């Protein structure tokens, strides 16, 4: 819970973009629900960056941070940026067991898992959904690196062994017929996405009044490949009105999650490069930008073109970082 949070956001530019996309999504949902009155529950990490951002951007003032590492919890007590954050030295499992979910009108819950314990995490997703109600929003982030299923060695092909391990770890939430190619680096996030959705549907079993609405899914890497999924629960008779008022179907990053998660991978640009590239936007294509620069930024030219295309999509969500003397 605390491992990923120890990495500063300025070293995780792809995650920072993904976080800004989440805020953008919540602001659009705010056309239907007053998200400022929602309670936010998440993993704050030592710096509580997400909490500060959600408070400043959306005026959410009822917040709970979960942290099971006592030393990180102590850092949170020192670093707490606003008084409206309630700090709890407990795990998400402990919280799910003890918290009265009827005490708040509506919730935004982000379980941003840093470990690779996918079996326990999927079980928690089911438990969480069982406790949520109409209008509640949830977001799940998991490690999507297939290396967690087993490292390559001198033995037979690693993919069949990883596929067998995935069947065990994903358990009842696994899609049928997992194939070796489902656990390569490119496809493993899609396998996990299906499993998360299955876990959420298990949580709704027996409640015909609510429907699960997937809203967005992204895959990104800042050292480790990560998958994130966001959805909401709606009364079946309010689904059409929700999409009409939020206009989420017109949001460029909306996804019903029947396709692969959208990749967030942008080039590492100098400040001068970024200023120049943004001066060409929104009109220029990736090819035109690279032709204008007369060089590419990336490991190779195909990767550079793909990442520049992503930058064009996400540049408005890309934060600026600079040195500040305090």
């Amino acid at each position: 819970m605390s491992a990923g949070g120890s990495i500063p956001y300025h070293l995780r530019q792809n995650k920072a973009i993904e976080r800004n996309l989440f805020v953008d999504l919540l602001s659009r949902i705010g056309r239907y629900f007053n998200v400022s009155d929602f309670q936010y529950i998440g993993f704050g990490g030592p710096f509580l960056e997400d909490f500060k951002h959600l408070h400043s951007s959306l005026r959410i003032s009822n917040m709970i941070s979960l942290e099971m590492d006592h030393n990180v919890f102590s850092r949170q007590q020192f670093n707490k940026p606003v008084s409206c954050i309630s700090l709890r030295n407990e795990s998400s499992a402990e919280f799910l067991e003890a918290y009265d979910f009827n005490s708040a009108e509506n919730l935004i819950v982000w379980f941003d898992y840093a470990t690779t314990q996918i079996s326990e995490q999927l079980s928690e997703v089911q438990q969480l959904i069982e406790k949520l109600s109409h209008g509640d929003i949830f977001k799940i982030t998991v490690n999507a690196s297939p290396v967690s299923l087993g490292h390559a060695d001198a033995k037979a092909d690693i993919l069949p062994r990883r596929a067998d391990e995935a069947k065990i770890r994903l358990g009842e939430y696994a899609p049928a017929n997992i194939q070796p190619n489902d656990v390569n680096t490119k496809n493993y996030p899609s396998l996990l996405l299906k499993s998360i959705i299955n876990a959420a549907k298990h949580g709704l079993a027996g409640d015909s009044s609510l429907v699960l609405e997937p809203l967005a899914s992204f895959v990104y890497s800042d050292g480790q490949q990560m998958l994130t999924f966001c959805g909401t629960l709606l009364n079946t008779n309010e689904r059409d009105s929700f999409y009409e008022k939020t206009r989420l179907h017109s949001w460029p990053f909306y996804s019903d999650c029947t396709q692969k998660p959208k990749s967030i991978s942008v080039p590492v640009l100098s400040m001068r490069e970024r200023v120049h590239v943004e001066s060409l936007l929104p009109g220029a294509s990736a090819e035109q930008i690279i032709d204008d620069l007369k060089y590419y930024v990336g490991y190779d030219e195909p990767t550079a073109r793909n990442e520049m295309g992503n930058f064009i999509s996400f540049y408005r969500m890309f934060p600026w970082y600079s040195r500040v003397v305090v």
Side-chain angles (χ1 to χ4, degrees):
M1 189 178 298
S2 59
S6 63
I7 305 172
Y9 265 96
H10 71 275
L11 299 179
R12 297 190 290 168
Q13 62 178 16
N14 294 322
K15 184 175 180 66
I17 292 171
E18 197 276 333
R19 180 183 65 173
N20 287 336
L21 287 167
F22 183 44
V23 172
D24 191 31
L25 172 61
L26 292 176
S27 69
R28 292 166 190 271
I29 294 175
R31 298 167 180 168
Y32 193 78
F33 296 107
N34 184 8
V35 297
S36 297
D37 289 339
F38 280 35
Q39 182 179 55
Y40 174 69
I41 301 165
F43 303 162
F47 312 118
L48 299 153
E49 288 283 354
D50 297 323
F51 288 75
K52 183 177 180 179
H53 192 37
L54 288 170
H55 174 69
S56 61
S57 300
L58 301 172
R59 301 186 302 281
I60 297 174
S61 300
N62 185 0
M63 316 176 91
I64 296 176
S65 170
L66 308 177
E67 178 54 60
M68 60 185 179
D69 184 283
H70 184 71
N71 187 66
V72 174
F73 178 72
S74 297
R75 292 188 72 186
Q76 289 181 331
Q77 292 176 307
F78 181 84
N79 289 320
K80 189 168 78 167
V82 287
S83 64
C84 59
I85 305 173
S86 173
L87 302 176
R88 296 190 176 214
N89 189 193
E90 60 188 21
S91 68
S92 50
E94 293 169 332
F95 178 80
L96 287 171
E97 184 68 26
Y99 186 65
D100 179 9
F101 279 78
N102 295 318
S103 63
E105 290 189 7
N106 275 114
L107 301 172
I108 301 168
V109 182
W110 181 5
F111 283 176
D112 187 1
Y113 296 110
T115 67
T116 59
Q117 297 169 317
I118 189 63
S119 301
E120 292 83 355
Q121 293 158 8
L122 291 173
S123 178
E124 288 187 9
V125 171
Q126 177 178 342
Q127 294 174 54
L128 172 65
I129 299 304
E130 290 172 351
K131 298 174 183 293
L132 298 184
S133 58
H134 166 68
D136 290 343
I137 302 159
F138 70 101
K139 180 178 176 182
I140 306 297
T141 302
V142 297
N143 187 300
S145 172
V147 173
S148 64
L149 298 172
H151 291 273
D153 53 32
K155 299 179 182 179
D157 189 357
I158 188 66
L159 291 183
R161 285 186 283 138
R162 285 180 176 172
D164 290 339
E165 182 65 21
K167 294 175 186 176
I168 295 171
R169 296 193 188 185
L170 301 179
E172 62 181 322
Y173 310 117
N177 303 317
I178 296 177
Q179 301 298 315
N181 281 340
D182 292 331
V183 293
N184 61 27
T185 301
K186 181 179 180 181
N187 295 329
Y188 188 48
S190 295
L191 178 64
L192 290 177
L193 176 59
K194 293 175 183 176
S195 301
I196 292 171
I197 292 175
N198 285 343
K201 288 180 177 178
H202 275 66
L204 279 182
D207 188 348
S208 59
S209 66
L210 291 175
V211 61
L212 169 67
E213 290 297 324
L215 300 176
S217 182
F218 302 97
V219 61
Y220 62 89
S221 179
D222 289 309
Q224 290 279 335
Q225 180 169 261
M226 305 295 290
L227 166 75
T228 186
F229 165 80
C230 186
T232 187
L233 303 183
L234 297 174
N235 289 333
T236 53
N237 61 354
E238 294 194 36
R239 183 177 181 274
D240 292 341
S241 178
F242 172 80
Y243 283 110
E244 179 182 353
K245 291 185 178 180
T246 61
R247 302 192 295 278
L248 279 175
H249 286 154
S250 299
W251 188 47
F253 311 107
Y254 166 80
S255 173
D256 63 3
C257 297
T258 58
Q259 305 295 322
K260 290 184 177 181
K262 186 172 181 60
S263 173
I264 299 175
S265 180
V266 297
V268 179
L269 301 169
S270 71
M271 183 174 291
R272 185 174 182 179
E273 287 171 334
R274 181 175 173 183
V275 169
H276 179 75
V277 169
E278 289 194 0
S279 73
L280 303 175
L281 297 177
S285 66
E287 290 75 14
Q288 289 170 331
I289 291 171
I290 293 173
D291 289 344
D292 182 84
L293 289 173
K294 297 181 175 57
Y295 59 84
Y296 62 83
V297 180
Y299 175 75
D300 54 35
E301 190 163 356
T303 301
R305 290 183 183 277
N306 180 65
E307 290 188 345
M308 188 61 73
N310 280 342
F311 183 83
I312 293 171
S313 297
F314 298 121
Y315 76 95
R316 292 183 302 105
M317 305 293 172
F318 199 156
W320 284 94
Y321 300 112
S322 61
R323 177 178 295 179
V324 176
V325 177
V326 180

